[in-house]
Amino acid sequence: MPDIDMDALLAQREEATGSADTFGFTFAGQRWTAKDPVMADDDWKNELAELSSDVEVAVHYLGEDQYEQFVAAGGRNGVVLLAVREYTKQLQAEDSQGRPTPRSVSSAKRRKR
């Protein structure tokens, strides 16, 4: 099994996105930056786990200043949570595309059973 060069992978990700631990999304014609829940540091993840409301979670992802600007632009916490969900879905889709698909069982093998 080949060795995975995480340094190269993280550098490539940072070059492509501009950050190693955030992702961007567009809302109300503006670009917003949220914390990547996969690459965030452990303290950030621990703080996230302790939050009890959707508003707190959205503020945690965007930061207080940016969240205030986001709300002023017509945003709400549900949009941030949806952006995070869509981002993680995209990551999962990219991950699954890189994996080989299981072989299908041929009809000849099924007939032998």
Side-chain angles (χ1 to χ4, degrees):
M1 180 166 260
D3 185 43
I4 299 170
D5 184 347
M6 290 306 297
D7 293 329
L9 182 67
L10 293 173
Q12 180 183 27
R13 183 184 191 290
E14 186 167 359
E15 183 178 323
T17 64
S19 172
D21 67 349
T22 61
F23 72 94
F25 66 96
T26 302
F27 173 76
Q30 296 180 50
R31 183 95 170 131
W32 307 95
T33 304
K35 192 63 109 173
D36 179 337
V38 174
M39 296 306 301
D41 64 42
D42 292 342
D43 289 340
W44 186 91
K45 290 178 182 182
N46 289 336
E47 291 168 3
L48 178 64
E50 294 175 4
L51 301 176
S52 60
S53 76
D54 288 349
V55 172
E56 291 174 323
V57 170
V59 169
H60 198 62
Y61 273 99
L62 294 181
E64 288 184 35
D65 293 340
Q66 188 177 204
Y67 185 75
E68 288 177 18
Q69 295 168 4
F70 184 76
V71 170
R76 58 187 189 277
N77 64 68
V79 175
V80 176
L81 301 179
L82 181 59
V84 172
R85 187 177 78 189
E86 289 301 312
Y87 174 71
T88 54
K89 277 176 39 179
Q90 286 179 6
L91 287 179
Q92 291 169 347
E94 289 171 8
D95 189 38
S96 68
Q97 288 175 358
R99 294 183 181 168
T101 57
R103 285 188 235 160
S104 63
V105 177
S106 73
S107 57
K109 284 185 180 179
R110 278 185 268 161
R111 280 185 291 217
K112 287 181 180 179
R113 289 184 187 173

